[in-house]
Amino acid sequence: MDSTPHKSPAGTVDSPVMDRVPPDRLRDLEDALGETIRGKDEVVRLSLVCLLARGHLLIEDVPGVGKTTLASALARGVNCGFHRLQCTSDMLPSDIIGVTIYSPQATEFEFKPGPVFTNFLLADEINRATPKTQSALLEAMNEHQVTVDARTYPLEAPFMVIATQNPAEHHGTYPLPESQLDRFLMKLEIGYPDRASERAILRGTARAASGGRQVLETSELMRLQRQVELVAIDDALADYILAIVERTRRHDGLTLGVSPRGAQALFRATQALALVQGREYALPDDVKRLVVPVFAHRVTVNSRGALGRSTDTAKRIIQEILTLVEVPL
C-alpha cells in the first residue's frame, strides 16, 4: 500500500492512517474461518488476533481436530503463501531454511531457499524435530530473517509460524525449550466439536477439505496489522498488564515468570482483540480474555505448584493471579 499522504478535495493533506480496512472485512474473514473450523468461534477469533498482532501460534491438541485445516484456512483467507512441514527426528535445519549449493553453470555457490520462505509456515508436530532443527526457526520467528553461510536473507511480510504438537504422544519427541515457547504469541487448544458442529463437518467434508475461501488481499491484511498499532491503551491498562506480569515472577508455584517479550505480546494481542471487536480502544476485559492463551505457556510450574498436567496447573495459577490484581476502572 502506498503510504504517502494524499490531497483531500479541500486541499488539505490526509494522514495515510485514514485509509483503513472497514470492520466488516474482518467480520467476513472471521465468518469464512468459522465455515472451515466448525463450532470453535473462540479459537477462530484468537487465531485471527494472533495474526493481526504479527505473532506466531502454537496449537497443542490431539490429531484430527483441525489444526492443519485452521492454518491453511488462515493463509487462504488472506491470499498468502503457505508451506507445510511434517517435522520428524531426521529433519535437518537446512530442510527448513534452505541450503547453499554449487552451480556449475554459474561457477559459484547459490542459495536455494527452503520452505520457511513463505507467508504462513505450518510446522506440524514441531516437537518431533530435534532441538537443533527447532532452533533453525528462532531467528525467523523473532527477526523475520534467516542467516546461511554468514549471509542474511529477509523473509517476506506477512510472516507467521503456526506449529502443532500432540499432548498425548510423547514417545520420540523433544519438548520445546522456554526460549522457543516464548516466541509463540499464543498457545491454543481446539478441542472436540459439539454434536451439531460435528454433524455439519460430516455433511460438509468436501467443502471443509478445500481449505476455506479467500476474503482479504494480502495488502489489506498488512493494513490491518498497522491499524492494530493505533488502538489506544490507557496507561492504567498498561500498568494492569505489568502488575499481572510482576505477579507471575513472584508466585510461589512458578519458577519462571513472564518475560518482557511476553508482556509485549499481551499488549499487542490486547490491541488486536479490540480491533477485531470493532473498537479503537482496549478494555480490561480484553486483557482478562487473553492472559491465559498468551501467558500460560511462558511460565514454568515448580514442584510446589504442580497439580496434574503442568499446562492445566499453569492456567490455574494465571487465573488465580488475575483475581489478585486490581482491575483498573
Side-chain angles (χ1 to χ4, degrees):
M1 181 187 74
D2 184 7
S3 61
T4 56
H6 61 277
K7 295 287 185 178
S8 69
T12 59
V13 177
D14 291 335
S15 167
V17 170
M18 299 302 292
D19 187 17
R20 294 173 180 264
V21 178
D24 60 320
R25 298 287 285 156
L26 262 178
R27 289 193 293 270
D28 290 343
L29 176 58
E30 192 172 358
D31 290 343
L33 294 173
E35 293 171 4
T36 305
I37 308 297
R38 299 277 187 171
K40 296 296 175 182
D41 295 343
E42 183 69 1
V43 172
V44 166
R45 173 155 290 195
L46 292 182
S47 300
L48 186 55
V49 166
C50 190
L51 171 60
L52 295 183
R54 308 184 198 218
H56 306 290
L57 178 62
L58 177 62
I59 306 175
E60 182 180 81
D61 220 319
V62 296
V65 294
K67 302 186 295 291
T68 302
T69 303
L70 174 60
S72 61
L74 274 172
R76 185 182 293 268
V78 293
N79 194 27
C80 284
F82 175 76
H83 283 161
R84 179 180 181 272
L85 283 174
Q86 182 60 54
C87 297
T88 57
S89 59
D90 60 349
M91 178 179 284
L92 300 174
S94 58
D95 294 326
I96 298 175
I97 62 177
V99 64
T100 301
I101 62 174
Y102 183 74
S103 171
Q105 293 80 12
T107 65
E108 62 181 12
F109 285 91
E110 294 182 351
F111 176 64
K112 300 296 183 182
V116 74
F117 287 86
T118 187
N119 301 120
F120 285 79
L121 178 68
L122 172 63
D124 211 0
E125 295 190 287
I126 189 173
N127 55 334
R128 291 200 176 278
T130 62
K132 182 178 181 179
T133 302
Q134 292 175 12
S135 66
L137 285 171
L138 290 175
E139 183 183 13
M141 294 174 68
N142 199 54
E143 301 171 36
H144 290 194
Q145 65 182 31
V146 296
T147 302
V148 180
D149 294 337
R151 291 191 61 181
T152 299
Y153 302 88
L155 299 175
E156 182 182 357
F159 176 70
M160 182 180 189
V161 173
I162 302 176
T164 74
Q165 58 182 17
N166 183 352
E169 178 56 66
H170 299 292
H171 180 70
T173 63
Y174 304 86
L176 296 179
E178 286 78 9
S179 60
Q180 184 96 33
L181 287 170
D182 203 36
R183 282 167 170 78
F184 287 100
L185 188 141
M186 286 188 196
K187 179 181 177 183
L188 300 178
E189 298 174 5
I190 296 179
Y192 293 116
D194 55 46
R195 175 68 67 86
S197 298
E198 194 157 13
R199 185 187 301 113
I201 293 171
L202 289 175
R203 294 191 175 279
T205 301
R207 184 167 61 253
S210 67
R213 57 184 172 89
Q214 180 189 336
V215 177
L216 300 181
E217 293 294 341
T218 306
S219 59
E220 291 180 289
L221 168 62
M222 297 179 71
R223 283 157 58 193
L224 284 166
Q225 290 177 332
R226 288 192 287 269
Q227 285 175 218
V228 166
E229 300 170 2
L230 303 176
V231 173
I233 291 189
D234 188 82
D235 286 344
L237 191 55
D239 288 339
Y240 180 53
I241 292 173
L242 293 175
I244 297 171
V245 170
E246 180 63 26
R247 286 274 186 172
T248 67
R249 297 169 183 171
R250 295 189 287 110
H251 196 282
D252 290 341
L254 301 176
T255 56
L256 181 67
V258 175
S259 69
R261 183 190 287 125
Q264 290 176 315
L266 181 57
F267 189 92
R268 292 198 315 272
T270 300
Q271 290 177 301
L273 179 57
L275 183 67
V276 169
Q277 298 186 125
R279 286 185 272 106
E280 296 183 357
Y281 56 90
L283 298 173
D285 284 345
D286 298 329
V287 175
K288 292 179 182 179
R289 187 172 174 181
L290 292 167
V291 69
V292 169
V294 175
F295 279 176
H297 66 286
R298 301 174 187 272
V299 299
T300 301
V301 178
N302 61 28
S303 57
R304 185 182 306 177
L307 181 63
R309 205 164 67 109
S310 61
T311 300
D312 295 332
T313 303
K315 291 179 181 178
R316 177 183 56 79
I317 292 175
I318 296 296
Q319 292 285 10
E320 175 190 322
I321 288 174
L322 273 180
T323 65
L324 300 175
V325 179
E326 184 178 354
V327 180
L329 299 178

PDB file of all heavy atoms in Angstrom, residues 97-113:
ATOM      1  N   ILE A  97      15.370 -23.925   6.358  1.00  0.00           N
ATOM      2  CA  ILE A  97      15.798 -22.598   5.915  1.00  0.00           C
ATOM      3  C   ILE A  97      16.423 -22.594   4.528  1.00  0.00           C
ATOM      4  O   ILE A  97      16.507 -21.539   3.885  1.00  0.00           O
ATOM      5  CB  ILE A  97      16.776 -21.974   6.924  1.00  0.00           C
ATOM      6  CG1 ILE A  97      18.047 -22.819   7.049  1.00  0.00           C
ATOM      7  CG2 ILE A  97      16.108 -21.810   8.273  1.00  0.00           C
ATOM      8  CD1 ILE A  97      19.089 -22.216   7.987  1.00  0.00           C
ATOM      9  N   GLY A  98      16.865 -23.756   4.044  1.00  0.00           N
ATOM     10  CA  GLY A  98      17.477 -23.820   2.729  1.00  0.00           C
ATOM     11  C   GLY A  98      18.956 -24.164   2.817  1.00  0.00           C
ATOM     12  O   GLY A  98      19.514 -24.332   3.907  1.00  0.00           O
ATOM     13  N   VAL A  99      19.599 -24.218   1.665  1.00  0.00           N
ATOM     14  CA  VAL A  99      20.990 -24.655   1.611  1.00  0.00           C
ATOM     15  C   VAL A  99      21.709 -23.953   0.464  1.00  0.00           C
ATOM     16  O   VAL A  99      21.093 -23.566  -0.537  1.00  0.00           O
ATOM     17  CB  VAL A  99      21.059 -26.194   1.423  1.00  0.00           C
ATOM     18  CG1 VAL A  99      20.467 -26.618   0.087  1.00  0.00           C
ATOM     19  CG2 VAL A  99      22.482 -26.710   1.586  1.00  0.00           C
ATOM     20  N   THR A 100      23.015 -23.787   0.622  1.00  0.00           N
ATOM     21  CA  THR A 100      23.858 -23.215  -0.433  1.00  0.00           C
ATOM     22  C   THR A 100      24.533 -24.355  -1.188  1.00  0.00           C
ATOM     23  O   THR A 100      25.185 -25.205  -0.575  1.00  0.00           O
ATOM     24  CB  THR A 100      24.918 -22.276   0.159  1.00  0.00           C
ATOM     25  OG1 THR A 100      24.270 -21.229   0.876  1.00  0.00           O
ATOM     26  CG2 THR A 100      25.769 -21.668  -0.943  1.00  0.00           C
ATOM     27  N   ILE A 101      24.351 -24.393  -2.508  1.00  0.00           N
ATOM     28  CA  ILE A 101      24.951 -25.452  -3.333  1.00  0.00           C
ATOM     29  C   ILE A 101      25.738 -24.824  -4.489  1.00  0.00           C
ATOM     30  O   ILE A 101      25.480 -23.675  -4.878  1.00  0.00           O
ATOM     31  CB  ILE A 101      23.883 -26.415  -3.892  1.00  0.00           C
ATOM     32  CG1 ILE A 101      22.899 -25.660  -4.798  1.00  0.00           C
ATOM     33  CG2 ILE A 101      23.136 -27.107  -2.756  1.00  0.00           C
ATOM     34  CD1 ILE A 101      21.908 -26.568  -5.489  1.00  0.00           C
ATOM     35  N   TYR A 102      26.662 -25.588  -4.997  1.00  0.00           N
ATOM     36  CA  TYR A 102      27.491 -25.088  -6.096  1.00  0.00           C
ATOM     37  C   TYR A 102      26.776 -25.278  -7.427  1.00  0.00           C
ATOM     38  O   TYR A 102      26.257 -26.352  -7.723  1.00  0.00           O
ATOM     39  CB  TYR A 102      28.830 -25.821  -6.133  1.00  0.00           C
ATOM     40  CG  TYR A 102      29.764 -25.312  -7.199  1.00  0.00           C
ATOM     41  CD1 TYR A 102      30.422 -24.094  -7.049  1.00  0.00           C
ATOM     42  CD2 TYR A 102      29.957 -26.039  -8.372  1.00  0.00           C
ATOM     43  CE1 TYR A 102      31.276 -23.620  -8.045  1.00  0.00           C
ATOM     44  CE2 TYR A 102      30.804 -25.576  -9.368  1.00  0.00           C
ATOM     45  CZ  TYR A 102      31.458 -24.359  -9.193  1.00  0.00           C
ATOM     46  OH  TYR A 102      32.280 -23.885 -10.168  1.00  0.00           O
ATOM     47  N   SER A 103      26.745 -24.214  -8.226  1.00  0.00           N
ATOM     48  CA  SER A 103      26.128 -24.257  -9.545  1.00  0.00           C
ATOM     49  C   SER A 103      27.221 -24.283 -10.617  1.00  0.00           C
ATOM     50  O   SER A 103      27.957 -23.294 -10.779  1.00  0.00           O
ATOM     51  CB  SER A 103      25.233 -23.032  -9.757  1.00  0.00           C
ATOM     52  OG  SER A 103      24.789 -22.968 -11.101  1.00  0.00           O
ATOM     53  N   PRO A 104      27.351 -25.398 -11.352  1.00  0.00           N
ATOM     54  CA  PRO A 104      28.370 -25.460 -12.405  1.00  0.00           C
ATOM     55  C   PRO A 104      28.131 -24.422 -13.504  1.00  0.00           C
ATOM     56  O   PRO A 104      29.094 -23.887 -14.081  1.00  0.00           O
ATOM     57  CB  PRO A 104      28.223 -26.885 -12.960  1.00  0.00           C
ATOM     58  CG  PRO A 104      27.542 -27.650 -11.873  1.00  0.00           C
ATOM     59  CD  PRO A 104      26.648 -26.669 -11.203  1.00  0.00           C
ATOM     60  N   GLN A 105      26.876 -24.140 -13.808  1.00  0.00           N
ATOM     61  CA  GLN A 105      26.572 -23.164 -14.850  1.00  0.00           C
ATOM     62  C   GLN A 105      27.053 -21.770 -14.466  1.00  0.00           C
ATOM     63  O   GLN A 105      27.651 -21.043 -15.275  1.00  0.00           O
ATOM     64  CB  GLN A 105      25.066 -23.125 -15.146  1.00  0.00           C
ATOM     65  CG  GLN A 105      24.507 -24.384 -15.790  1.00  0.00           C
ATOM     66  CD  GLN A 105      24.267 -25.483 -14.771  1.00  0.00           C
ATOM     67  OE1 GLN A 105      24.310 -25.247 -13.557  1.00  0.00           O
ATOM     68  NE2 GLN A 105      24.043 -26.699 -15.263  1.00  0.00           N
ATOM     69  N   ALA A 106      26.772 -21.377 -13.201  1.00  0.00           N
ATOM     70  CA  ALA A 106      27.173 -20.036 -12.762  1.00  0.00           C
ATOM     71  C   ALA A 106      28.576 -20.018 -12.173  1.00  0.00           C
ATOM     72  O   ALA A 106      29.101 -18.936 -11.879  1.00  0.00           O
ATOM     73  CB  ALA A 106      26.181 -19.524 -11.717  1.00  0.00           C
ATOM     74  N   THR A 107      29.177 -21.219 -12.020  1.00  0.00           N
ATOM     75  CA  THR A 107      30.503 -21.373 -11.415  1.00  0.00           C
ATOM     76  C   THR A 107      30.614 -20.651 -10.071  1.00  0.00           C
ATOM     77  O   THR A 107      31.624 -20.009  -9.773  1.00  0.00           O
ATOM     78  CB  THR A 107      31.623 -20.883 -12.364  1.00  0.00           C
ATOM     79  OG1 THR A 107      31.462 -19.467 -12.562  1.00  0.00           O
ATOM     80  CG2 THR A 107      31.584 -21.618 -13.695  1.00  0.00           C
ATOM     81  N   GLU A 108      29.549 -20.733  -9.293  1.00  0.00           N
ATOM     82  CA  GLU A 108      29.557 -20.140  -7.949  1.00  0.00           C
ATOM     83  C   GLU A 108      28.504 -20.834  -7.094  1.00  0.00           C
ATOM     84  O   GLU A 108      27.679 -21.592  -7.621  1.00  0.00           O
ATOM     85  CB  GLU A 108      29.271 -18.632  -8.011  1.00  0.00           C
ATOM     86  CG  GLU A 108      27.908 -18.302  -8.579  1.00  0.00           C
ATOM     87  CD  GLU A 108      27.671 -16.796  -8.657  1.00  0.00           C
ATOM     88  OE1 GLU A 108      28.632 -16.013  -8.494  1.00  0.00           O
ATOM     89  OE2 GLU A 108      26.503 -16.410  -8.888  1.00  0.00           O
ATOM     90  N   PHE A 109      28.556 -20.571  -5.815  1.00  0.00           N
ATOM     91  CA  PHE A 109      27.571 -21.154  -4.920  1.00  0.00           C
ATOM     92  C   PHE A 109      26.287 -20.319  -4.946  1.00  0.00           C
ATOM     93  O   PHE A 109      26.323 -19.082  -4.946  1.00  0.00           O
ATOM     94  CB  PHE A 109      28.122 -21.223  -3.490  1.00  0.00           C
ATOM     95  CG  PHE A 109      29.129 -22.321  -3.300  1.00  0.00           C
ATOM     96  CD1 PHE A 109      30.484 -22.077  -3.502  1.00  0.00           C
ATOM     97  CD2 PHE A 109      28.720 -23.594  -2.935  1.00  0.00           C
ATOM     98  CE1 PHE A 109      31.406 -23.092  -3.343  1.00  0.00           C
ATOM     99  CE2 PHE A 109      29.634 -24.614  -2.765  1.00  0.00           C
ATOM    100  CZ  PHE A 109      30.990 -24.363  -2.966  1.00  0.00           C
ATOM    101  N   GLU A 110      25.150 -21.000  -4.965  1.00  0.00           N
ATOM    102  CA  GLU A 110      23.850 -20.337  -4.984  1.00  0.00           C
ATOM    103  C   GLU A 110      23.010 -20.826  -3.815  1.00  0.00           C
ATOM    104  O   GLU A 110      23.075 -21.992  -3.428  1.00  0.00           O
ATOM    105  CB  GLU A 110      23.109 -20.621  -6.297  1.00  0.00           C
ATOM    106  CG  GLU A 110      23.768 -20.024  -7.521  1.00  0.00           C
ATOM    107  CD  GLU A 110      22.974 -20.305  -8.786  1.00  0.00           C
ATOM    108  OE1 GLU A 110      22.008 -21.113  -8.715  1.00  0.00           O
ATOM    109  OE2 GLU A 110      23.318 -19.742  -9.834  1.00  0.00           O
ATOM    110  N   PHE A 111      22.230 -19.906  -3.275  1.00  0.00           N
ATOM    111  CA  PHE A 111      21.350 -20.247  -2.159  1.00  0.00           C
ATOM    112  C   PHE A 111      20.008 -20.730  -2.680  1.00  0.00           C
ATOM    113  O   PHE A 111      19.360 -20.050  -3.474  1.00  0.00           O
ATOM    114  CB  PHE A 111      21.147 -19.032  -1.243  1.00  0.00           C
ATOM    115  CG  PHE A 111      20.176 -19.284  -0.123  1.00  0.00           C
ATOM    116  CD1 PHE A 111      20.446 -20.223   0.858  1.00  0.00           C
ATOM    117  CD2 PHE A 111      18.976 -18.588  -0.056  1.00  0.00           C
ATOM    118  CE1 PHE A 111      19.554 -20.456   1.899  1.00  0.00           C
ATOM    119  CE2 PHE A 111      18.078 -18.815   0.969  1.00  0.00           C
ATOM    120  CZ  PHE A 111      18.368 -19.760   1.950  1.00  0.00           C
ATOM    121  N   LYS A 112      19.621 -21.910  -2.233  1.00  0.00           N
ATOM    122  CA  LYS A 112      18.315 -22.472  -2.574  1.00  0.00           C
ATOM    123  C   LYS A 112      17.412 -22.346  -1.349  1.00  0.00           C
ATOM    124  O   LYS A 112      17.604 -23.052  -0.355  1.00  0.00           O
ATOM    125  CB  LYS A 112      18.448 -23.948  -2.978  1.00  0.00           C
ATOM    126  CG  LYS A 112      19.340 -24.181  -4.193  1.00  0.00           C
ATOM    127  CD  LYS A 112      18.766 -23.532  -5.442  1.00  0.00           C
ATOM    128  CE  LYS A 112      19.636 -23.832  -6.655  1.00  0.00           C
ATOM    129  NZ  LYS A 112      19.120 -23.155  -7.886  1.00  0.00           N
ATOM    130  N   PRO A 113      16.460 -21.405  -1.370  1.00  0.00           N
ATOM    131  CA  PRO A 113      15.635 -21.165  -0.179  1.00  0.00           C
ATOM    132  C   PRO A 113      14.776 -22.357   0.186  1.00  0.00           C
ATOM    133  O   PRO A 113      14.290 -23.096  -0.677  1.00  0.00           O
ATOM    134  CB  PRO A 113      14.776 -19.953  -0.582  1.00  0.00           C
ATOM    135  CG  PRO A 113      14.786 -19.955  -2.076  1.00  0.00           C
ATOM    136  CD  PRO A 113      16.094 -20.527  -2.488  1.00  0.00           C
TER     137      PRO A 113
END
